[in-house]
Amino acid sequence: MGVKSSAGDVQKSTRQGLGLALVSAGALCFEINLTRLFSISQFYHFAFMVVSIALLGYGASGTFISLRKHKNSGDEGENFTLLAGFAGACIIGSFILINNLPFDSYSIFVDSSQLSILIIHYLALASPFFFIGMIVSLMLQEYGNVSGTVYAWNLVGSAAGCLITVIVPGLIDGEGVVALSGIMASCGGLLFFIEKKQNSKGKGKRNVIGLFMIIITLVVSLLPLSIRITTGELPEFFTLNISPYKSLSYALQNPQAEVISSQWNSISRIDLVQSPSLHSLPGLSYRYLDPLPAIEGLFWDGDNLNPLLPADSSTNYAEHLQFAIAYSLKENPRTLILEPKGGMSIMSALALGAKQITAVEANPLVIKPAKDIYALPGVTTVTASGRSFLRSNNSQFDIIQLPLTDSYHPVSSGAYALGEDYRYTLESFLDMIDNLKPDGILVITRWLQEDPSELLRTFTLAVTASENKRIDASMNIIALRGYNTGTILVKKNVFTLEENEKVRFFAQEKAFDIVYMPGLNPEEVNQFNILPEPIYYQTFNSFLTSTSRDKFYEKYPYDVRPPTDDHPFFGHYFKWSQMDQILESLGTTWQPFGGAGYLAIILIFLIALILSTGLILLPILLKRNNKVKFSDKRIPIYFGLIGLGFMLVEIPLIQQFTLYLDQPAYAMAVLLFSILLFSGLGSRFGSSKMSLSTALLLLLGLLGVYIVFLPGILHKTLGLPLLIRVAMSLLIISPLGFLMGVPFPGGLRWLRGKTGTMSISSEWLIPYVWAINGACSVISSILASLISLSFGFTVTFALGMVFYALSLAFSISGKETKLTIE
């Protein structure tokens, strides 16, 4: 790709192509990094919004350009420089704005200004994508004869941005990645400036203004980076502000509390907080009366407080923890602890008699501050995800422990409903049972909610997994609770009478209430942590003895069905039957979006639907006086269908590969890199080598193969080393990405007709179909999350396949369609 020659050939120079690649890399780097920043500073709702914000900016750019009067003056190079300058400035400026004008989701229903702030955030964050989208749209319009090449530069640059988000956060922090994104967009603008300067006699007013903005952006971006490199800290105006409602903010309210360490890598930010009054031992009996041990607080992404104790500190508290019951049933057990985080469960297990412990922790930044604990005698540390370890492990354990490492979150808030948790799926529980010795015990601790929900869902998982293994669930499960946590024991065979008596003695001595146990009498329940009614005992027994589990799930007020790898949303408990309760309490509970977190997702979808519809209809309404129309309306519908299909395929793939590649950040980076890189290659080479209908037929066939075989392939190879899984992911996704890159440039060829040319008066249609594609992608990005939450990844993926099938039908029936201008 390059600038126009006298013959209109744009392929002699690559400066503009490289400039487009750089601004595209900056855009995607900023987009992915924003999901990380919002996960830390706010809640998952905001990380989820980023994709729709970016796509809305892209769609709006196409609408804007389609409405402007086309000028055939050869000065688009000046526009590219100016737009890149605006994009870089907006990347930096939007981050500074939202960071210093924080949005408070908790008070949105009592403080009307918060809605205005949310709108300001939305528009500010969409602005850099709007200007970068304008660059892409203008290039597609200017260099339509080689639209596949333009689209390829855009996608390849975006793919490079994916890799950058994995490599650099550990070097310059998440805020530094924002600065780097602005620098990349500005450097792309410099290439546009150089290209325009060498191919025109005058400097051009817009070129100069663009250069000035680029220089300012580079100075503002390099300032925090240079301070970070020289001092190890960022300036205050560029330091990420954390929501006051996250665990880290609460901890810093303790007397003499201070952050003694804060480190980033590609998957997390880990903070260490020190305070003499900071304490956290989830599951501790109220009968423990000795002084609580001094701890440092370890926080993952500003949340999830985990105690970090000195390796030589007293562990007298250990026998008063709920999970200690498992160790009283086993002598010198060989133990597996999955994701022990700060290591409290490791120290407790050693104190309770475990002689050989395998600690599996996926995040090296977590292990680093707790290295003395992970290096204790008898402890073997494995840096891997729990699920991949379970699939690769060839030995068995007496005890497998899944400790409580999450902060407490009310299930009604919906703040974590969108987060996949592959530890708590049916397949995970089956793998854990498989890794137990014949008389081994699985022990899980969770928070108690106001109504049985979180612990009940854990119980339904344990029961369903046991029954799938043909184990009598009524005889192999024990559940007990304290005042705010509950623990479930799952044995690979039945609990003996002697073990049941040990559990009774432990519960009475430590003041825990037994919720379920073989042979439990109603008089034995609700004795210590007294509730108005023994609702946990009643609900657990009702589930276990129900003649129809489906009817139980249907009638129960919360969704407590066992999550699966296809639907791994352990924190999603919403049912439409809760609507009356949610609306009644709206704005009266101190939770994100007034306790209506799931409804906020639906609200965002409706807003996106309205805005996207406006982007599609506005050019038609404003240009109808020109009597411009399609002789066949299937062309704009086609571009909308491929926009819908692309995101409905891409998003569930990323969610599925989150399990396969251990971390959401790895899955997003690898999947987006592969899809975008090979889509770029497909756009550049495939769109000119195969017909549109052939490419869509091949794509549909491949999608069908993925639906049938991909889950099994991922499950069978989950135990392979991570690097091999990354290579397999690239191999699996590359043909799909190649074929997904063909429909858009192929559609542009269809739009131009057989002659390959368009009149000046009809050039607006190229940015217009770009707007349609972007607007429909906004809708499908949110729709994909809603469908996955309700029905699972396979249904979402299949719906994407349906939209591609419809696009094929439209393309086959409309091959000879031409533009008509009346």
Side-chain angles (χ1 to χ4, degrees), residues 94-153:
S94 63
F95 172 71
I96 294 174
L97 174 66
I98 66 170
N99 195 44
N100 292 277
L101 181 66
F103 169 66
D104 185 350
S105 63
Y106 278 66
S107 63
I108 190 170
F109 288 103
V110 296
D111 181 1
S112 58
S113 67
Q114 293 304 316
L115 181 59
S116 300
I117 292 174
L118 179 60
I119 294 172
I120 292 171
H121 282 202
Y122 206 96
L123 294 175
L125 291 172
S127 62
F129 304 104
F130 173 78
F131 292 116
I132 292 172
M134 284 186 67
I135 295 173
V136 179
S137 188
L138 283 173
M139 283 195 172
L140 289 172
Q141 187 180 55
E142 284 292 299
Y143 309 129
N145 291 336
V146 286
S147 58
T149 303
V150 174
Y151 199 46
W153 278 113

Side-chain angles (χ1 to χ4, degrees), residues 72-324:
N72 191 27
S73 58
D75 62 355
E76 294 294 13
E78 290 187 18
N79 286 333
F80 298 152
T81 304
L82 184 64
L83 292 171
F86 275 122
C90 286
I91 286 174
I92 304 302
S94 63
F95 172 71
I96 294 174
L97 174 66
I98 66 170
N99 195 44
N100 292 277
L101 181 66
F103 169 66
D104 185 350
S105 63
Y106 278 66
S107 63
I108 190 170
F109 288 103
V110 296
D111 181 1
S112 58
S113 67
Q114 293 304 316
L115 181 59
S116 300
I117 292 174
L118 179 60
I119 294 172
I120 292 171
H121 282 202
Y122 206 96
L123 294 175
L125 291 172
S127 62
F129 304 104
F130 173 78
F131 292 116
I132 292 172
M134 284 186 67
I135 295 173
V136 179
S137 188
L138 283 173
M139 283 195 172
L140 289 172
Q141 187 180 55
E142 284 292 299
Y143 309 129
N145 291 336
V146 286
S147 58
T149 303
V150 174
Y151 199 46
W153 278 113
N154 169 236
L155 294 174
V156 171
S158 298
C162 296
L163 289 184
I164 292 170
T165 59
V166 174
I167 298 170
V168 301
L171 302 174
I172 58 176
D173 299 344
E175 300 97 329
V177 177
V178 174
L180 182 61
S181 301
I183 290 171
M184 285 190 288
S186 297
C187 288
L190 285 177
L191 287 176
F192 294 144
F193 175 82
I194 294 170
E195 181 69 19
K196 182 62 180 175
K197 187 177 180 182
Q198 290 186 356
N199 287 275
S200 61
K201 295 180 180 179
K203 292 183 179 180
K205 182 178 179 181
R206 280 170 290 174
N207 226 28
V208 173
I209 295 173
L211 178 62
F212 176 76
M213 295 187 65
I214 287 168
I215 293 172
I216 295 298
T217 302
L218 288 173
V219 171
V220 176
S221 300
L222 289 170
L223 176 63
L225 281 181
S226 60
I227 294 175
R228 167 66 176 83
I229 293 171
T230 55
T231 68
E233 297 182 357
L234 288 162
E236 185 175 351
F237 78 93
F238 218 75
T239 301
L240 185 66
N241 290 318
I242 307 293
S243 166
Y245 309 111
K246 300 203 79 170
S247 299
L248 176 59
S249 298
Y250 285 128
L252 290 175
Q253 295 176 17
N254 283 281
Q256 302 176 46
E258 61 175 338
V259 177
I260 59 175
S261 172
S262 184
Q263 291 186 295
W264 290 76
N265 61 10
S266 57
I267 61 176
S268 67
R269 185 179 110 168
I270 301 299
D271 294 280
L272 281 182
V273 173
Q274 189 176 63
S275 170
S277 58
L278 187 62
H279 303 288
S280 176
L281 291 173
L284 186 67
S285 168
Y286 65 71
R287 285 189 176 167
Y288 179 74
L289 303 178
D290 292 341
L292 293 173
I295 69 166
E296 291 176 354
L298 186 149
F299 296 86
W300 177 306
D301 285 356
D303 215 350
N304 301 329
L305 167 61
N306 279 261
L308 178 61
L309 290 78
D312 58 352
S313 64
S314 171
T315 52
N316 293 337
Y317 63 86
E319 61 183 17
H320 287 77
L321 294 168
Q322 279 179 9
F323 63 75

